[in-house]
Amino acid sequence: MDVDSNNYENTLVSQEENYHETSDEGTAKMTGKNGRPKPILVIGGGIAGIQASLDIADAGLEVYLVERSSSVGGRMAQLDKTFPTLDCSSCILTPKMADITRKPNLHLFICSEVVNVEGQAGDFRVTVRKQPRYVDVDVCTGCGLCTEVCPVEYSSDFNVGLEIHKAIYRRFPQAIPAAFVIEKHESPCKNACPAQIPVQGYVALIAQGKFTEALNLIRNAGIPFAGTLGRVCYHPCEDVCKRGEWDEAVSICALKRFSYDAGRNGDEITPAPIKHEERIAIVGAGPSGLTAAHQLLHMGYQVTVFDELPVAGGMLATGIPEYRLPRDVLAQEIEDVRALGAEFKLNTPIGKENGLQLEDLCKEYQAVYLAIGAHGSSRLRVPGEELPGVMQAVPFLRKLNMGEDVRIGKKVAVVGGGNSAIDAARCAIRMGSDVKLVYRRSRAEMPAASFEVAAAEEEGVELNFLMTPVRVIEKGGKAVAIECVRMELGEPDESGRRRPVPVEGSEFIMEVDTVIAAIGQNVLSEGLDVETKWGNIVVDEVSLETSVPGVFAGGDAVIGPASVVEAIGAGKQAAESIHRYLRKMDLHTGRKPTWKKPAAIDVNDSKGIKRAPRQHMAELSVKERILGFNEVELGFTEEQAMAEAKRCLDCAICSECMQCVSACQAQAIRHDDQPEDIQMQVSSIIVASGYDVFDPIRKPEFGYGRYPEVITTMEFERLVSASGPTAGRIVLNGRTPRKIVFIQCVGSRDLSLDLPNCSRVCCMAVAKQAHLAHDRIENAEVTVFYMDVRAFGKGFEEFYDRVREEGTIYRRGNPSEIRRKGDGVVVVAEDTLLGELVEVEADLVVLAVGMLPRQDANGLALTLGITQDADGYFLENHPKLNTVSSSQPGIFLAGCSQGPKDIPDTVAHAKAAASAAMILSVRKGASNAQN
């Protein structure tokens, strides 16, 4: 079990006489024996949780402190001074945080939260889920080299959005643990990619001008075809790109292409070292087979690739025209796989009569991957399709791409609506023909990529929808026309598209001399001696293993004709399965996708998104295109690529660019860390989960988020803090404000928002900040709008008087709105003492936002089985006589989880909760010993 700040395993060993540990698949179970009290669990690492934990540890009892963020300290760590004594908050808190690391019986669980509780007082069985930090705290030296190379900037939660930090960061300088942490979430683009390419990573690197690093990142993710995919991928990532919700999606595919075009530095690929004696046969030299080969070679296996064609590349080489995929790009990427150590045996069919059989491969090789693609063509099934002049798209494109003599007539009809149909039509245009595309559904139902359809139309292909051929008409022994019938759309079929229905009596003749059928492809799986269904090879959906042990299959051979990126994804999946199979590992464990659907991923607007046009790469003119097969799209310039990459919203925050891995001399980065569930047994639980603050966006009349001059008290606290973004100077938007207005009770004592509670601390927090404003700004004019001032604590009234004597003007009033006026704003309010409407100009308005129960309080209450009061705070056993006990015996409350409190009251409450928990723990331990 991995514990952040203490070597917990050593602690357990040293205390073996009192405790024992048993492990099951990475979890730990901790129990007390010999009558010794079981540990006490504290939930929350703010000042309440810290104080309770230290008291318990000092009493000699075992305590587990669980904190969901990357450091202890809570909200007190964000404060500059404490009222009324104006002591440095950090000076008080930091020694207590440091003490946590010095207590051998205090065990800290960072980035963790309680997800399940069972049992009863004295014997709770708790499950704590520890989220990955992605940095090993026992190895990290805190040097910060990782932050220097991280390309992603993100709004700082600790500094309340007033500054940015990198995706890898330390929460604040005095953070405990001191190790860095990586903020990582799921991104829609990667989740939508069938090959799980780290999209945000290479985009972030391109934005920094690190083009070679971007290309290497793609390759290291198991993708040998960056240049190819960047030209032919139908980019499902762009369909879900969250940038499209603001203006237009990031041009992800074009950036992938750019990474190859600009990032390839001419370095020779060296053979991958052989680590394993097993040899692997791959049948099919297309994108799926070559991706599997690339991966397996890097894993240290010996790989031989078989293909019945005279060239490697599969459909990449024979099915995609050169105007989309230049042959030199494809040839170079195939050569890179060969240079890694792949052996190619071309012109070598498998499963054909008088040739090598699958059985032969299984005898010579320890594993086989069938990546045979879908090279068969579906027939039109109409009279006359055997006539000269009628051909199918797949063999037509193959002959054309392989340089064979292909002759077509002047009038060409291409039948179909998929990408092969569009490719065939655009090729025929380049061969000088007049081309009509005939499709039985509407344009909206076309499976071809919309941008390819638009390009075909632009080049002169005539699109004819809602019609289908019913026969080919012959004259002089060859095709001269097709008879078509018009269609109308009926009910949806099994594909979800509306079924085309012939319109009776709508037949007509279309004169043509060549018909190219592109109505479907199929898998030629005969002779392979594996289970098939409708020609497709049947496999286990996770492992891709066929009915023959040790034989795997993927790509078009399994799912039918699909996309290049899906084939590449299958190749990666197959390589992992083959590795597991040969190493005698389970083929299924941990492989079922668990990531969110792209639509379920929310993006935090941390950058203040501004509209920025999507970059469009230069293209050959239509006149130039149709004269030959030169590549149409010409790629981005460096300036375009970097500008486009900077449009990325960094949805996942960490882009997984791996630059931190290269920079970390201590090798502390662990990007493959996974969540871990830790089981523990405890005698009692203290809930010190703290509070949230009111979001003033809910009070739109105050202009928060609209006017930069309007901030919250917590933002002001970070401005005046010496460790804050301005090193303690009150500067906002490059200016030092002179006229400052504080508005109290924002989000508390507000019946319009159903928030009747008083937060108790706001009055004195504002008084403290008003004092700091006078102290830091010469001739500051400070006004406070208040309902009434509640200065009920020791020394509070005296401090309030001191602030007024310093010149702070207190106006009893109800602010109604904040409006723009010149370079500043004006606060409009009713002065309830004067009975008149007043307007107070301000350079800065500070909203004293109230305390609220934590957003996840409901979930925690359900987990713990405790109740909440009407406001959402955890309900105490008795509001006067027992404020530390919850409604559940053995579960105690500390600090602001029970209700709003200032720091002294929070500490006192925490100490009381610790005492109650220890009493229960000791009593239960003694009772167990007697029994």
Side-chain angles (χ1 to χ4, degrees), residues 507-520:
E507 293 81 2
F508 67 96
I509 303 299
M510 179 184 291
E511 292 186 4
V512 297
D513 46 26
T514 300
V515 179
I516 302 175
I519 61 170

Side-chain angles (χ1 to χ4, degrees), residues 858-869:
N858 290 347
L860 186 57
L862 289 173
T863 299
L864 297 173
I866 60 179
T867 55
Q868 297 167 271
D869 62 24

Side-chain angles (χ1 to χ4, degrees), residues 545-604:
E545 191 170 25
T546 69
S547 56
V548 178
V551 177
F552 302 81
D556 292 0
V558 172
I559 63 175
S563 66
V564 175
V565 71
E566 287 171 289
I568 288 173
K572 290 179 63 176
Q573 189 177 353
E576 173 66 17
S577 291
I578 290 171
H579 172 66
R580 291 189 180 206
Y581 172 79
L582 294 176
R583 304 271 67 81
K584 302 189 183 328
M585 299 162 62
D586 185 85
L587 297 181
H588 295 85
T589 300
R591 301 186 66 188
K592 195 85 170 179
T594 57
W595 51 75
K596 295 179 182 177
K597 293 183 178 179
I601 297 175
D602 294 323
V603 179
N604 184 357

Side-chain angles (χ1 to χ4, degrees), residues 12 18 31 52 73 124 147 274 342 395 489 501 532 604 736 757 821 835 837:
L12 287 171
N18 294 318
T31 63
F124 288 113
T147 65
I274 298 173
L489 296 179
V501 180
T532 62
N604 184 357
T736 298
N757 262 342
K821 184 173 183 180
L837 197 66

Side-chain angles (χ1 to χ4, degrees), residues 486-567:
R486 298 192 185 279
M487 314 293 284
E488 61 183 6
L489 296 179
E491 295 299 317
D493 61 14
E494 61 278 0
S495 72
R497 296 178 295 172
R498 295 173 65 190
R499 185 187 303 276
V501 180
V503 177
E504 187 175 349
S506 63
E507 293 81 2
F508 67 96
I509 303 299
M510 179 184 291
E511 292 186 4
V512 297
D513 46 26
T514 300
V515 179
I516 302 175
I519 61 170
Q521 297 166 231
N522 49 63
V523 182
L524 303 176
S525 57
E526 297 84 358
L528 289 177
D529 296 326
V530 292
E531 183 184 351
T532 62
K533 184 176 182 180
W534 298 314
N536 294 359
I537 300 173
V538 176
V539 299
D540 178 273
E541 65 174 349
V542 174
S543 70
L544 301 186
E545 191 170 25
T546 69
S547 56
V548 178
V551 177
F552 302 81
D556 292 0
V558 172
I559 63 175
S563 66
V564 175
V565 71
E566 287 171 289

Side-chain angles (χ1 to χ4, degrees), residues 43-56:
I43 303 174
I47 182 57
I50 291 172
Q51 186 63 59
S53 298
L54 290 174
D55 282 1
I56 295 166

